[in-house]
């Protein structure tokens, strides 16, 4: 191997999975540039009370790094972060992480067929391949509330939890009722004096108790051969069944809605007004179905109010709703999600001929199999457009993507090329096929962060995990153009010694 230089941006699950795959295949020159102080990505950032994954850990873990000692069905944030550290260490990729290194721009140099990666502070680094693994959910979104800065109390975002602020006995507002809010509200509700939860849209719920595994179960999973694999398979198929409900809202989806509706009615028995207030007015599965057995009972507490009146502005005392009411609070917690559909990179990306990715994606982000963009040679995206999942584990997708980009780079090596570039007609045909598959599904039946302003679904994969696995299992070299190495090769600044040796051949 000519030892191509691979720069990965982001040391979350995506970046680390890519690095592990490349290192296992013998790619030696891999660096992971990380803006934060350490690895972990979303699991380092999101430390709000109750933060946990709502995908069971037997599937929310890498296939080659299985654990038999998960504390509960859905691991809490600290357990997942610990797992990520352990896996990175076991595979020797923790030492590839260069922390406190914010990438500000990535530019493809046509003449020299390399990526120039610029970091804050002005340093640059060259790469033969670029992997963007900055995730879809890392830039906190705040509602465009007039006067937001006028609030005189304390305020923070759920993804930037202020652990120094004591919520006990305070009057607190939580804005938003998405996946983060439903985890944190039941945790803080018993502590605070008053909690006002602002809901814009109701959600569909399914049960999740998430008690600690009993000792007998933990022993069984440790000792009984095959139980762990069966458990993973079971969760995989459960996830696929959820996708079936979203894909087929008139049939399977009705079963999902009925199950969810029965659960919600049971949870809110004796609270008919609250039940009406939280009831979703859109098709089951259009937005993320939320797994919680604790959120709706928390809303029914005597110290909790649910407000469905739209927010109008922020006043010095607290949020004001459209009916003119000001909700006096000491603290506002924005559980308002992330800036996602604008996709996605906190840096400038410039491809062949000086094209800007922002411009290339002006009608919505798109990438071949979520990973490759025509005109951006040897650039791969982890968790890129149309690879989010509503029913499965994103780690299944990330593993598939890591294997795919590793294969692609092996083809570059085998052909003695400088880089590869997905053919525009191949990418366009795939994009059309992906978009066509959304027709008739629940995803198109409401507004959500999965869709951009024009209604195009930019975040999600339209099918099952097994389909994505099959689609990405093998790289077809015919889908790509291979770029010749420029001359004079030996003069390339910064090229590693092995690479120079190849150029001399
Ligand atoms: P989110 O799902 O985008 O929810 C944001 C919430 O804020 C929604 O209730 C939204 O209302 C509300 N909101 C946004 N802008 C608003 C505005 N201007 N006025 C009033 N309300 C507003 O964000 P999240 O809860 O942080 O979750 C984001 C994603 O992170 C999830 O979908 C999931 O993929 C991931 N996540 C996963 C887990 C897990 O356990 N696996 C846990 C947390 C997060 P609308 O519904 O009306 O837009």
């Amino acid at each position: 191997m000519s030892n191509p230089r691979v720069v990965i941006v982001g040391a979350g699950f995506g970046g680390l999975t890519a690095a592990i795959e490349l290192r296992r295949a013998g790619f030696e020159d891999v660096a992971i540039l990380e803006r934060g102080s350490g690895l972990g990505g979303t699991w380092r950032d999101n430390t709000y009370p109750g933060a946990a994954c709502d995908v069971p850990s037997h599937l929310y873990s890498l296939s080659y790094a299985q654990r038999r000692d998960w504390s509960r069905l859905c691991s809490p944030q600290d357990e997942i972060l610990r797992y990520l550290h352990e896996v990175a260490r076991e595979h020797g990729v923790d030492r590839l992480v260069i922390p406190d290194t914010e990438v500000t721009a990535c530019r493809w140099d046509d003449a020299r067929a390399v990526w120039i990666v610029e970091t804050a502070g002005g340093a640059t680094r060259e790469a033969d391949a670029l992997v963007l693994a900055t995730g879809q959910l890392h830039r906190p979104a705040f509602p465009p509330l007039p006067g937001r800065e006028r609030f005189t109390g304390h305020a923070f975002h759920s993804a930037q939890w202020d652990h120094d602020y004591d919520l006990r006995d305070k009057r607190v507002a939580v804005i938003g009722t998405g996946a983060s809010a439903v985890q944190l509200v039941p945790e803080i509700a018993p502590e605070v004096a008053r909690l006002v939860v602002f809901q814009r849209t109701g959600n569909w719920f399914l049960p999740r108790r998430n008690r600690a595994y009993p000792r007998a179960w933990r022993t069984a999973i440790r000792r009984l051969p095959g139980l762990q694999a069966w458990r993973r398979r079971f969760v995989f198929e459960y996830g696929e069944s959820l996708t079936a409900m979203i894909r087929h809202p008139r049939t399977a989806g009705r079963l999902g809605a009925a199950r969810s509706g029965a659960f919600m009615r049971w949870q809110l028995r004796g609270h008919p007004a609250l039940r009406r207030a939280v009831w979703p007015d859109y098709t089951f599965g259009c937005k993320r179905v939320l797994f919680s057995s604790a959120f709706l009972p928390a809303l029914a507490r005597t110290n909790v109010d649910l407000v469905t009146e739209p927010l109008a502005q922020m006043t010095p005392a607290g949020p004001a709703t459209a009916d003119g009411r000001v909700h006096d609070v000491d603290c506002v917690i924005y559980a308002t999600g992330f800036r996602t559909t604008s996709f996605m990179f906190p840096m400038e990306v410039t491809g062949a001929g000086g094209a800007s990715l922002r411009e290339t994606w002006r009608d919505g982000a798109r990438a071949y199999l979520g990973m490759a963009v025509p005109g951006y040679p040897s650039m791969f995206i982890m968790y890129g457009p149309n690879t989010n999942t509503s029913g499965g584990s994103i780690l299944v997708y990330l593993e598939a993507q890591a294997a795919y980009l590793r294969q692609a780079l092996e083809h570059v090596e085998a052909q003695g090329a400088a880089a590869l570039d997905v053919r525009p007609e191949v990418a366009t045909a795939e994009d059309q096929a992906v978009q066509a598959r959304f027709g008739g599904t629940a995803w198109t039946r409401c507004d959500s962060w999965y869709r951009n302003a024009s209604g195009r679904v930019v975040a999600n994969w339209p099918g099952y995990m097994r389909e994505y696995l099959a689609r990405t299992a093998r790289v077809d070299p015919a889908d790509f153009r291979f770029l010749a190495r420029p001359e004079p090769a030996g003069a390339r600044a910064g090229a590693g010694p092995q690479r120079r040796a190849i150029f001399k051949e």
Side-chain angles (χ1 to χ4, degrees):
M1 183 175 296
S2 70
N3 200 21
R5 298 157 298 174
V6 184
V7 163
I8 298 172
V9 186
F13 258 119
L16 295 169
T17 307
I20 291 170
E21 178 77 25
L22 290 169
R23 291 305 299 259
R24 285 183 359 156
F27 288 80
E28 285 171 11
D29 195 342
V30 178
I32 310 173
L33 308 187
E34 166 57 46
R35 182 182 55 174
S37 57
L39 62 83
T42 194
W43 296 109
R44 188 202 55 221
D45 293 347
N46 283 272
T47 60
Y48 58 79
C53 187
D54 58 11
V55 178
S57 297
H58 292 290
L59 192 60
Y60 197 79
S61 48
L62 298 163
S63 64
Y64 49 80
Q66 288 294 290
R67 294 288 188 266
R68 288 161 187 256
D69 58 352
W70 296 114
S71 65
R72 54 193 71 225
L73 181 71
C74 298
S75 300
Q77 171 264 338
D78 57 345
E79 194 171 351
I80 299 173
L81 185 60
R82 199 163 54 243
Y83 168 77
L84 200 44
H85 275 274
E86 282 169 14
V87 172
R89 205 165 42 244
E90 285 161 14
H91 291 268
V93 298
D94 54 341
R95 33 194 181 78
L96 307 181
V97 178
I98 305 173
D100 303 313
T101 306
E102 183 178 355
V103 173
T104 51
C106 302
R107 302 184 199 290
W108 175 253
D109 182 330
D110 288 308
R112 296 168 56 232
V114 290
W115 282 97
I116 313 290
V117 179
E118 297 173 11
T119 55
T124 61
R125 187 180 261 272
E126 289 192 359
D128 301 295
L130 177 67
V131 180
L132 300 176
T134 50
Q136 291 190 29
L137 304 166
H138 63 104
R139 294 188 296 161
F142 291 87
L145 269 185
R148 188 156 64 83
E149 65 299 331
R150 284 195 296 151
F151 177 55
T152 54
H154 197 61
F156 52 88
H157 193 277
S158 60
Q160 297 163 336
W161 196 266
D162 184 353
H163 291 277
D164 293 331
Y165 184 78
D166 190 354
L167 287 168
R168 271 175 302 182
D169 302 324
K170 301 282 190 340
R171 298 162 307 161
V172 178
V174 170
I175 301 181
T177 51
S180 299
V182 304
Q183 293 185 340
L184 70 91
V185 162
E187 297 293 320
I188 66 171
E191 282 188 12
V192 301
R194 278 221 76 71
L195 183 60
V196 191
V197 178
F198 292 87
Q199 171 192 283
R200 187 167 64 178
T201 317
N203 292 292
W204 292 102
F205 285 87
L206 284 172
R208 190 197 79 157
R209 289 208 179 281
N210 209 27
R211 297 196 188 100
Y213 279 134
R215 185 194 291 225
W217 167 256
R218 293 174 74 164
T219 308
I221 207 147
R222 223 175 25 248
R223 301 246 171 99
L224 285 182
L227 186 56
Q228 162 80 359
W230 173 83
R231 184 80 177 146
R232 186 171 166 90
R233 191 75 223 170
F234 177 84
V235 179
F236 185 98
E237 294 304 338
Y238 182 87
E240 298 286 66
S241 73
L242 200 55
T243 300
M245 292 175 190
I246 300 168
R247 281 206 52 76
H248 305 288
R250 288 166 190 273
T251 50
R254 291 212 165 133
L255 291 177
R259 169 76 185 97
S260 175
F263 170 66
M264 292 171 69
R265 267 188 214 96
W266 169 252
Q267 285 228 301
L268 292 177
R269 61 197 181 282
H271 302 279
L274 182 56
R275 193 184 69 218
R276 280 192 294 278
V278 298
W279 209 261
D281 60 359
Y282 57 84
T283 307
F284 177 86
C286 177
K287 291 176 189 247
R288 191 181 172 89
V289 175
L290 300 178
F291 291 84
S292 173
S293 303
F295 180 71
L296 296 176
L299 292 186
R301 290 175 61 95
T302 51
N303 69 332
V304 178
D305 286 320
L306 179 75
V307 174
T308 54
E309 188 69 23
L311 284 164
Q313 59 168 316
M314 188 63 85
T315 72
T321 37
D323 55 3
R325 192 167 161 210
V326 175
H327 299 264
D328 245 336
V329 290
D330 304 303
C331 177
V332 174
I333 299 170
Y334 292 97
T336 39
F338 301 86
R339 289 193 281 149
T340 49
T341 53
S342 55
F343 260 85
M344 75 183 15
F345 304 117
M347 82 280 281
E348 283 297 320
V349 180
T350 313
S356 142
L357 190 57
R358 214 175 290 279
E359 191 49 29
T360 303
W361 281 354
R362 67 186 174 283
D363 296 328
R366 61 200 74 194
Y368 180 59
L369 300 173
M371 290 180 268
V373 184
Y376 295 79
S378 286
M379 179 185 92
F380 301 91
I381 306 164
M382 300 292 288
Y383 192 24
N386 294 112
T387 66
N388 186 50
T389 169
S390 297
S393 166
I394 192 60
L395 299 198
V396 170
Y397 291 77
L398 293 179
E399 262 191 61
Q401 289 160 9
Y404 187 91
L405 72 88
R406 184 260 305 153
Q407 282 184 54
L409 293 180
E410 285 172 345
H411 280 293
V412 173
E413 289 298 299
Q415 304 219 7
L420 83 178
D421 191 9
V422 64
R423 294 181 184 280
E425 65 278 15
V426 171
T428 301
E430 174 71 14
D431 179 54
Q432 285 168 352
V434 163
Q435 290 300 319
R437 288 205 69 207
F438 285 110
T441 69
W443 285 298
T444 60
R445 298 189 171 199
C446 69
D447 290 332
S448 72
W449 67 261
Y450 304 147
R451 306 172 81 190
N452 68 7
S454 68
R456 180 186 161 85
V457 182
V458 289
N460 276 37
W461 173 247
Y464 299 91
M465 287 182 277
R466 60 173 182 273
E467 290 173 325
Y468 191 76
L469 290 174
R471 196 68 195 78
T472 53
R474 199 183 66 80
V475 171
D476 183 350
D479 289 347
F480 294 88
R481 287 185 313 121
F482 286 83
L483 276 54
R485 283 182 170 160
E487 297 295 336
R492 180 186 294 187
Q498 276 173 289
R499 181 148 199 126
R500 270 200 290 274
I502 286 251
F503 284 144
K504 279 183 198 141
E505 280 168 10

